[in-house]
Amino acid sequence: MIKKLDLAGFWHFAMDAAKDGIQNKQYLTMPEDTIPLPGTTSQAKKGIPSDVRETGSLTDPWLFEGYAWYSKDISLEEDLGKNIYLF
């Protein structure tokens, strides 16, 4: 039997526009900011506000380019077995 765990909700979140989070070991700390998932950085108003509206293409009201770090504490039942897949 496959058990599913809904991971929707608030996640810890950090923007990494400089793309140096791996070198700085960003993955070792829990970011202080949060973001609701599922969703996008633009929907969560993360990044830089933008007034640009392009004709003929979709434009986001909040711009962000770079890496983003997400983390969330979860609890798993002990009897889940040995194989756990996250996708």
Side-chain angles (χ1 to χ4, degrees):
M1 180 174 142
I2 295 176
K3 293 184 181 184
K4 294 183 180 182
L5 177 63
D6 185 4
L7 297 176
F10 282 90
W11 284 62
H12 293 277
F13 170 79
M15 294 185 291
D16 183 8
K19 300 181 181 178
D20 60 5
I22 293 173
Q23 284 180 319
N24 294 333
K25 298 183 180 181
Q26 174 71 38
Y27 50 86
L28 295 177
T29 61
M30 184 76 75
E32 291 184 21
D33 198 2
T34 60
I35 190 169
L37 293 179
T40 66
T41 54
S42 185
Q43 289 171 328
K45 299 181 180 177
K46 306 291 184 184
I48 301 168
S50 174
D51 292 333
V52 175
R53 298 295 178 258
E54 295 187 28
T55 303
S57 64
L58 298 175
T59 53
D60 283 322
W62 291 79
L63 303 177
F64 174 70
E65 285 190 32
Y67 297 157
W69 295 87
Y70 299 84
S71 63
K72 182 177 183 82
D73 287 327
I74 61 170
S75 297
L76 302 175
E77 298 172 24
E78 289 186 31
D79 64 347
L80 281 178
K82 294 182 181 179
N83 297 319
I84 298 174
Y85 302 95
L86 177 63
F87 58 94

